[in-house]
Amino acid sequence: MVGEEAITMMDPAGLKAIGAGLAVGLAGLGSGLAEKDIGAAAVGAMAENEALFGKGLILTVIPETIVIFGLVVALLIS
Amino acid sequence: MLKPKSMTRAVIVGHKEVMDETVDTLHDINIFHIEEYNEEDSTFKIGKPFENAGDVSKKLVQLRSISSFLGIKPKEVPKQDTNILWAELDEKLARLENELDEKTEEKNSYETRLKELDSLKKELEPFVSIPIDLKNYRGYESLSVFAGTVKGDISSEISGITNDYELEFDPNTLTIALFVRKDKEDLVAEMLADYEFREIRVPDVEGAPSEIIADIESERNTINEKITSLEKSISDIKERYSDFILASDEILSIESQKSEAPLRIATSEHTFVIDGWVPSDEYNKMTRTLESSTNGRVFVSKQEITEEEEEEVPVEYNNAGITKPFETIMNLYARPKYKEIDPTALIFITFPLFYGMILGDIGYALILLGLAFGVKKLVNSDAIKPLMNILIYCQVSTLIFGVLYGEFLGFPLASLHGAHGIEPGLIAGFETINLFQSPIGGEMITYPIHRTHLVMTLIVLTALIGVAHINMGYILGFINEKKKHGFNAAMLEKGSWIVVEIGIVLAILGYVGYLPIAVGAAIFVIGFIMLIKGEGIKGPIELPSLLSNSLSYTRLIAVGLSSIYIASTVNLIAFEMIWPQGGIAAVFAILVFIFGHALNTVLSIIAPGLHALRLQYVEFFTKFYEGGGKEYSPFGYIRKYTEE
């Protein structure tokens, strides 16, 4: 059967790599989406008051965790 | 350590006659933080500045405008005596201003002349190719003169109108000088209009244009020479006076601070009251100095600090010299409150530790160490120095971890035992030593630790480091809370987290089979109830953050691995793909290697720095730290260029 043949063609290592790539890539997108708004707002706040740099930095890096989780998952898969 | 300096509230009261001496003394000892007085429904008024305030600030403005005009930069100079400076200040300042005015005025006049010459030259340029003396363009009664540009040769057209004409035409620039009788003027003008005649103003000078331009050129040269020599003498002035400017800026700033101090002080008709803060261990020194300088005519008294006032206490760090640079990191977040724990000393340990764990590469450590020392030596700025010191601490830690990991610019130093056999390391004969089997994931712990081969173990290890770090935060939070609201509140708010964690650990042990699972569950529930009592509904909502916070520490390995992969990709492209081809490709290989690692070096400051910082700010500080203390800024000045 054609279907069976296709399944046997799949290399587990390749699937792992795809999974790892999806984990990092999608998590990265998530981080990026979250960070873009925070970053824009933080820069705006900093333009008003430079002392807010520290707070802005912290708020901006908070979603970084998402991509780190993605990276950890990718490492665990591969 | 761990606590800001203890402060004492002091009130200084005295007769107005000695206000001058009091302000002087306070300024000199530079330890008293003046609490600004605001004049709300009180019999006391804000004081008036001392008499010399206007004069001093006028001179200061004058001096600073000169200083910014000359572009004087701070530098190391021998200290000057203030008495001598004051004695000669007025005279020297006037002389400096005169000299400078004279030179700039002269320079300006030359520059104006230069502009005039330039515009004259521009006007003359069209006439260069027409050999007519410029004075001949003017002053006729029966002749009309047309000078300007046309779009082509008009000689045939003009001969159709009249024979009585004189035409000079330059075919290159299409410039004409046409002389006709006045009665033909209209006809000629019409014809010229067809040729898109555009008039050019004849410059108001006499002589052949080319000669005049030659004259202009030579005059320009002399003027330029003069301007250069003027600029040199201005920079001579800068050279000669820069010490004076720096030093007198300092004494004038000091004097202006002193003379404006009464604006922050409460005064009545005959007395004055200065309210403020002094570090407790300096209190006695302050009273002694004040008494001796005013012959005991001021009265200093200690005030009790009430609970509301605690918010207002200015906060001064109390850290040893080596931990001091990390105050910058604290300030970036928020200065601790007066009664709060100051975690600078802890950051001094954990920040470089995390940074080093992430980067852990001998090559980058050496590059960045060199960079940090270089910048510290070259840039003499108070803002940069602590940052460079932090970078140096971080690189020392990176170097230690680099030795532990056995990495150099992404190359493993020791040989690598992988699934595909043994890969040789950078140091020939340096074999990886197998130590023992890791209990997690069955991986072999080796020396040096190949991070790429021990991922599982290291992920668990970093999460455990996270748990330890977070719990340190809870303990500090416990201490803070106990100081503020007593043991019970502390136990409910912060201790409950630790109880919850113990419950989770015991439950896991029960799951594995060491204990009955109910023990863990019971302790967890006790912790959970305490948490609800302590934090309200916020507690359970934040409970999952315990997991995400500790997993967040896996970045210690994850970010490090990404840095290794970037470095080894650069190495791969450079040395395995391009280098073996030789010739011009070898040059490319070297370029790829240098640029790749330069990029990764920059990332090596940003990525580990930001992540190590984030672990402090987001995971650690949120467990205990409030911050928002007021900065302690004593009334005084740190002299750099002068001494009394």
Side-chain angles (χ1 to χ4, degrees), chain B residues 164-194:
Chain B
D164 245 354
Y165 71 93
E166 192 71 46
L167 173 69
E168 290 288 343
F169 177 63
D170 174 18
N172 287 327
T173 56
L174 299 172
T175 313
I176 56 162
L178 175 63
F179 302 81
V180 292
R181 290 172 64 109
K182 206 138 212 167
D183 49 353
K184 300 283 186 215
E185 184 181 347
D186 294 342
L187 277 175
V188 172
E190 239 168 72
M191 179 276 291
L192 282 176
D194 291 340

Side-chain angles (χ1 to χ4, degrees), chain B residues 519-560:
Chain B
V519 179
I523 293 177
F524 177 81
V525 170
I526 293 171
F528 191 73
I529 292 167
M530 284 165 68
L531 188 63
I532 292 178
K533 269 193 99 175
E535 300 244 21
I537 192 69
K538 214 178 97 210
I541 292 174
E542 279 185 10
L543 202 56
S545 74
L546 209 56
L547 182 72
S548 71
N549 278 346
S550 21
L551 283 185
S552 182
Y553 284 80
T554 53
R555 70 186 67 228
L556 291 180
I557 165 89
V559 176

Side-chain angles (χ1 to χ4, degrees), chain B residues 375-390:
Chain B
V375 170
K376 207 176 142 185
K377 188 139 196 164
L378 289 177
V379 183
N380 189 12
S381 149
D382 290 338
I384 301 289
K385 258 197 182 131
L387 289 180
M388 288 304 126
N389 283 333
I390 293 174

Side-chain angles (χ1 to χ4, degrees), chain B residues 78-380:
Chain B
K79 295 198 172 190
Q80 301 186 36
D81 190 286
T82 39
N83 291 331
I84 302 177
L85 263 177
W86 277 119
E88 57 184 17
L89 178 72
D90 286 347
E91 187 225 343
K92 223 170 173 179
L93 190 58
R95 207 168 63 219
L96 169 63
E97 190 159 42
N98 269 343
E99 261 183 65
L100 216 52
D101 275 355
E102 221 171 79
K103 302 281 185 220
T104 44
E105 216 161 276
E106 206 179 338
K107 193 180 156 202
N108 283 344
S109 74
Y110 279 131
E111 276 168 350
T112 334
R113 177 67 189 150
L114 212 53
K115 269 189 202 132
E116 278 172 21
L117 289 177
D118 277 345
S119 67
L120 181 59
K121 191 182 158 200
K122 220 175 228 165
E123 285 180 8
L124 280 171
E125 261 159 7
F127 298 98
V128 172
S129 49
I130 298 169
I132 301 176
D133 192 312
L134 286 169
K135 73 177 180 210
N136 295 339
Y137 282 92
R138 286 181 286 276
Y140 301 108
E141 275 177 20
S142 55
L143 278 183
S144 282
V145 183
F146 294 94
T149 57
V150 287
K151 74 171 178 187
D153 194 348
I154 54 162
S155 39
S156 55
E157 290 279 330
I158 190 95
S159 17
I161 298 168
T162 172
N163 279 328
D164 245 354
Y165 71 93
E166 192 71 46
L167 173 69
E168 290 288 343
F169 177 63
D170 174 18
N172 287 327
T173 56
L174 299 172
T175 313
I176 56 162
L178 175 63
F179 302 81
V180 292
R181 290 172 64 109
K182 206 138 212 167
D183 49 353
K184 300 283 186 215
E185 184 181 347
D186 294 342
L187 277 175
V188 172
E190 239 168 72
M191 179 276 291
L192 282 176
D194 291 340
Y195 276 83
E196 291 176 10
F197 174 71
R198 205 167 287 153
E199 197 179 342
I200 299 174
R201 203 184 74 85
V202 181
D204 199 7
V205 285
E206 291 185 3
S210 53
E211 276 168 31
I212 302 175
I213 285 184
D215 286 350
I216 288 176
E217 279 305 325
S218 80
E219 193 179 347
R220 265 174 58 106
N221 284 340
T222 29
I223 289 178
N224 272 332
E225 268 165 38
K226 280 180 182 155
I227 287 180
T228 333
S229 87
L230 274 174
E231 272 166 358
K232 203 187 153 294
S233 63
I234 288 176
S235 76
D236 273 354
I237 294 179
K238 176 179 168 184
E239 208 59 41
R240 249 185 304 144
Y241 282 97
S242 70
D243 289 6
F244 164 75
I245 290 173
L246 286 172
S248 44
D249 185 307
E250 187 166 287
I251 55 168
L252 283 171
S253 305
I254 290 172
E255 202 50 37
S256 131
Q257 270 185 7
K258 282 184 191 170
S259 59
E260 276 160 19
L263 291 171
R264 306 158 70 182
I265 297 174
T267 53
S268 70
E269 207 176 325
H270 298 294
T271 56
F272 69 92
V273 180
I274 311 177
D275 186 2
W277 303 89
V278 59
S280 304
D281 48 357
E282 310 243 37
Y283 178 80
N284 287 334
K285 176 185 161 196
M286 187 182 82
T287 47
R288 259 202 327 274
T289 330
L290 275 177
E291 258 161 36
S292 70
S293 69
T294 58
N295 288 325
R297 293 180 64 192
V298 291
F299 176 70
V300 186
S301 67
K302 237 185 229 189
Q303 303 282 307
E304 283 297 316
I305 304 176
T306 62
E307 211 157 296
E308 295 113 61
E309 276 174 344
E310 255 171 35
E311 292 284 311
E312 292 164 27
V313 187
V315 176
E316 168 74 338
Y317 292 104
N318 188 16
N319 288 308
I322 47 164
T323 57
K324 240 181 176 28
F326 288 85
E327 286 167 7
T328 321
I329 287 182
M330 291 301 304
N331 285 342
L332 205 59
Y333 189 86
R335 193 173 277 258
K337 278 190 180 157
Y338 181 54
K339 285 279 165 156
E340 217 176 352
I341 287 174
D342 164 23
T344 311
L346 297 172
I347 293 178
F348 165 70
I349 298 167
T350 50
F351 183 76
L353 186 78
F354 291 164
Y355 185 101
M357 263 193 100
I358 295 174
L359 189 55
D361 188 295
I362 299 173
Y364 291 132
L366 292 178
I367 292 173
L368 289 173
L369 206 56
L371 201 74
F373 274 117
V375 170
K376 207 176 142 185
K377 188 139 196 164
L378 289 177
V379 183
N380 189 12

Side-chain angles (χ1 to χ4, degrees), chain B residues 364 409-411 567 570-571 592-602:
Chain B
Y364 291 132
L409 294 180
F411 291 108
V570 169
N571 295 340
V592 166
F593 187 75
I594 291 172
F595 279 112
H597 283 296
L599 180 77
N600 207 19
T601 309
V602 175

